[in-house]
Amino acid sequence: MATIKDIAERLGISVSTVSKGLNGASDISESLRQEVLDTAVELGYTTKQMRGKVPRKLCIFVENMEYETPEQFGYDIILGFRQRAARENYEVTVIPASPSLQSTEKYDTYMLKNGFVGAFLLGFALQDEWMTQFHSTAIPTVLFDNNIKKNHTVSYIGTDSFEGIDDAIEHLASLGHRRIGLINGSRDSFICEQRRQAYIDSMSARNLPFSEDTMPYGYFVPEAASPHVGNLLSMGITAILCGNDLIASGAIEECTLRGLRVPEDISIIGFDDIPLAANLKPSLTTIRQDRIELGKCGFFTLHSLINHVSISRTLLRPELIVRNSTGPIHP
Amino acid sequence: MATIKDIAERLGISVSTVSKGLNGASDISESLRQEVLDTAVELGYTTKQMRGKVPRKLCIFVENMEYETPEQFGYDIILGFRQRAARENYEVTVIPASPSLQSTEKYDTYMLKNGFVGAFLLGFALQDEWMTQFHSTAIPTVLFDNNIKKNHTVSYIGTDSFEGIDDAIEHLASLGHRRIGLINGSRDSFICEQRRQAYIDSMSARNLPFSEDTMPYGYFVPEAASPHVGNLLSMGITAILCGNDLIASGAIEECTLRGLRVPEDISIIGFDDIPLAANLKPSLTTIRQDRIELGKCGFFTLHSLINHVSISRTLLRPELIVRNSTGPIHP
């Protein structure tokens, strides 16, 4: 359990200032007070005052996504969500939603039985058992990267894949690349369908060649790259977009094993900008998702649904981070 | 200028309770206090305390949209926006953005010169002069019903037209209608393009017949209906979707003039659910947009942009309100 001293050290301020922030004293700024509270939430510190209230309970279900450490994709999303939730006096529980949990208990039953008033769901695949139940649930539910039509208590939040993929292809085209491949994530994923369509749209709009073979599906792990890299290279591909940064790291490794230099011989782009991306050799050009903000927007949207405001979707803008894994096409 | 008594009368509570709400007393509930403050904003009442702070300035530009009275489309959008803005200590100015204003002054120049830190824009048409400037503005800007790609300081908010149109066509199809027309709003409008595409998608998905002639463009006024109604009827159309409630009111009038009964001979559906809709004869089935919530979401999104959170779009869900202007197809 964290102490006041931990918070003070993290923020580089005095223990007495932290104490003022936690106790709502009037002689520190509102923004500093909020930073103290956000850090308290992050470190797991609670005051008697915070514990004294009766919070409403929310949960975050996670499936197919790593989130335990700051290096992992889901960590910041959950952190951003929890920070905002704490401000509104919600208590948040993170629950792995394994297929066996989903098959033993219906979603609504689980929520009601455990007293949760709303849920944020991360990493669900199209074939997950609960997915069909979201069409008819009456419980406020926000899905990251999944879209359920016409149910007024369910929302979709995510990053605009169409803009992200288009930014990446525009960047590669400006470097002279015409033969661009996409090693996608899982076939069983709404967001991968979106990115595939975005790739088709952007390649078509620039009269660049593509086919079923230039956009294979894989999975969100480094090992997913190698089976496809050889195939794409044999088709004359000079640049590869990847479904996430992990796949991109695998693609760089596979190219290196084959004696190719990145970016001199082949350019590679990731998706997400997890901490790994900046530390790869070469550092990875990638399409950034702001995961802290995704978490905050996830909370805002869920809070809106709980208050009977039916938001259908909220999309954040991606940002192309250009590093050293992309360069001009090999002459 | 409104008085405390006006607020008390509007809410049906005592003057002393209003006073407590305005002065932040601790012995009234937070929700009642917020209601008092929201009503104060609506009626234009300000306390010395409210006036004492130095607010940041926002503006709402309105073009091609009526907003002066509660019966008009823009009124509630602006009200919802202003209520939320007041909570965060912003001052809001509503400015008609005529073509002449747009041609005499660039958008950024106008904003900077007048000290506005952000803007919410209602009713802009695709050919409005400022629209091209939004691609490169660096000023936080939220557009209602208009989408600007790739600019991180500009957001789009609106209602999901695809779900709304699909709900309406599903409703008509369930009543046996197959020949369904769309009298759209203006040709020069992003949202009308969306609704046209939504109509095409929904008709196609149900194998219902449509052509260029069944989806004419008009304008957002009652008079726009009459030139198209005769044409649609001659094609055997038995139900008409309209681009807004005003067009629908004109369509009902034109059908009545032609001796047709609504809904016995022809079904008619509007869009928006402005107060007029429930009072038409017959009362109008329509696709509801929650305009207060649109205003609130507009503010939330603008506030996010000002705080460097780049939301690309936020869409609310529409709701089909079934009244008496739709019925089973004439046998």
Side-chain angles (χ1 to χ4, degrees), chain A residues 267-278:
Chain A
S267 286
I268 291 177
I269 297 186
F271 208 112
D272 295 342
D273 196 26
I274 58 173
L276 165 86

Side-chain angles (χ1 to χ4, degrees), chain B residues 92-117:
Chain B
V92 179
T93 310
V94 178
I95 302 169
S98 62
S100 74
L101 171 67
Q102 294 181 50
S103 62
T104 48
E105 191 111 69
K106 286 202 170 163
Y107 173 68
D108 284 11
T109 313
Y110 188 93
M111 294 293 287
L112 294 171
K113 216 159 78 175
N114 291 284
F116 293 120
V117 299

Side-chain angles (χ1 to χ4, degrees), chain A residues 16-302:
Chain A
S16 68
T17 306
V18 172
S19 179
K20 282 179 186 175
L22 293 172
N23 296 312
S26 59
D27 59 342
I28 74 166
S29 73
E30 178 59 26
S31 64
L32 182 56
R33 192 186 73 87
Q34 200 56 66
E35 213 173 333
V36 168
L37 292 174
D38 283 351
T39 307
V41 170
E42 182 179 354
L43 300 179
Y45 179 90
T46 52
T47 62
K48 269 185 204 151
Q49 198 186 353
M50 288 156 86
R51 287 192 298 272
K53 299 176 194 170
V54 180
R56 286 178 292 176
K57 290 169 67 182
L58 299 179
C59 66
I60 302 179
F61 289 109
V62 193
E63 164 72 331
N64 309 310
M65 186 187 289
E66 301 194 301
Y67 62 90
E68 285 86 356
T69 70
E71 292 72 36
Q72 295 175 328
F73 182 77
Y75 184 87
D76 276 351
I77 299 178
I78 290 174
L79 178 58
F81 184 96
R82 289 175 63 232
Q83 287 177 339
R84 281 298 153 105
R87 294 189 189 191
E88 305 284 344
N89 194 34
Y90 286 98
E91 180 183 286
V92 179
T93 310
V94 178
I95 302 169
S98 62
S100 74
L101 171 67
Q102 293 181 51
S103 63
T104 48
E105 191 111 70
K106 287 203 169 160
Y107 173 68
D108 284 11
T109 312
Y110 188 92
M111 294 293 287
L112 294 171
K113 215 160 76 176
N114 291 284
F116 293 120
V117 298
F120 185 36
L121 287 92
L122 305 179
F124 275 60
L126 294 173
Q127 102 300 1
D128 264 305
E129 194 160 340
W130 279 359
M131 284 294 284
T132 56
Q133 299 174 25
F134 298 141
H135 292 278
S136 58
T137 184
I139 291 170
T141 302
V142 174
L143 297 164
F144 174 69
D145 276 356
N146 271 300
N147 189 32
I148 299 289
K149 287 185 182 168
K150 294 195 178 183
N151 184 338
H152 280 236
T153 68
V154 180
S155 280
Y156 154 37
I157 74 142
T159 302
D160 188 333
S161 290
F162 287 86
E163 288 204 355
I165 296 286
D166 195 63
D167 285 345
I169 290 176
E170 185 175 60
H171 168 64
L172 292 171
S174 76
L175 293 168
H177 296 276
R178 289 185 46 80
R179 298 189 170 274
I180 301 168
L182 167 68
I183 303 179
N184 209 336
S186 162
R187 186 183 297 271
D188 182 38
S189 150
F190 169 76
I191 202 66
C192 294
E193 285 178 2
Q194 295 268 299
R195 292 180 189 165
R196 185 186 179 89
Q197 190 58 51
Y199 166 81
I200 292 169
D201 290 357
S202 292
M203 295 295 278
S204 305
R206 291 179 178 77
N207 288 315
L208 299 177
F210 65 92
S211 68
E212 198 60 37
D213 294 336
T214 66
M215 46 183 180
Y217 281 105
Y219 196 67
F220 289 120
V221 295
E223 299 71 33
S226 65
H228 299 298
V229 168
N231 201 22
L232 290 173
L233 291 173
S234 71
M235 297 166 65
I237 292 282
T238 64
I240 302 177
L241 293 177
C242 299
N244 73 354
D245 294 340
L246 295 175
I247 300 174
S249 74
I252 290 177
E253 193 180 336
E254 179 66 20
C255 289
T256 308
L257 283 175
R258 289 168 176 266
L260 294 174
R261 296 162 302 162
V262 179
E264 292 82 354
D265 300 316
I266 182 152
S267 286
I268 291 177
I269 297 186
F271 208 112
D272 295 342
D273 196 26
I274 58 173
L276 165 86
N279 298 320
L280 288 175
K281 301 271 178 264
S283 62
L284 187 66
T285 295
T286 188
I287 300 160
R288 179 159 210 266
Q289 304 200 59
D290 190 330
R291 295 185 306 286
I292 285 277
E293 294 304 336
L294 282 167
K296 289 180 180 176
C297 277
F299 172 74
F300 170 78
T301 303
L302 185 54

Side-chain angles (χ1 to χ4, degrees), chain A residues 148-152 154 160 163 166-167 170 293 300 309-319, chain B residues 148-152 154 160 163 166-167 170 293 300 309-318:
Chain A
I148 299 289
K149 287 185 182 168
K150 294 195 178 183
N151 184 338
H152 280 236
V154 180
D160 188 333
E163 288 204 355
D166 195 63
D167 285 345
E170 185 175 60
E293 294 304 336
F300 170 78
V309 177
S310 184
I311 295 179
S312 163
R313 71 176 62 185
T314 303
L315 293 183
L316 294 181
R317 293 201 192 258
E319 185 179 3
Chain B
I148 300 290
K149 287 185 180 168
K150 294 196 179 184
N151 184 338
H152 280 237
V154 180
D160 188 332
E163 288 204 357
D166 194 64
D167 286 344
E170 186 175 60
E293 294 303 337
F300 170 77
V309 177
S310 184
I311 295 180
S312 164
R313 70 176 63 185
T314 303
L315 293 182
L316 294 182
R317 292 199 194 259

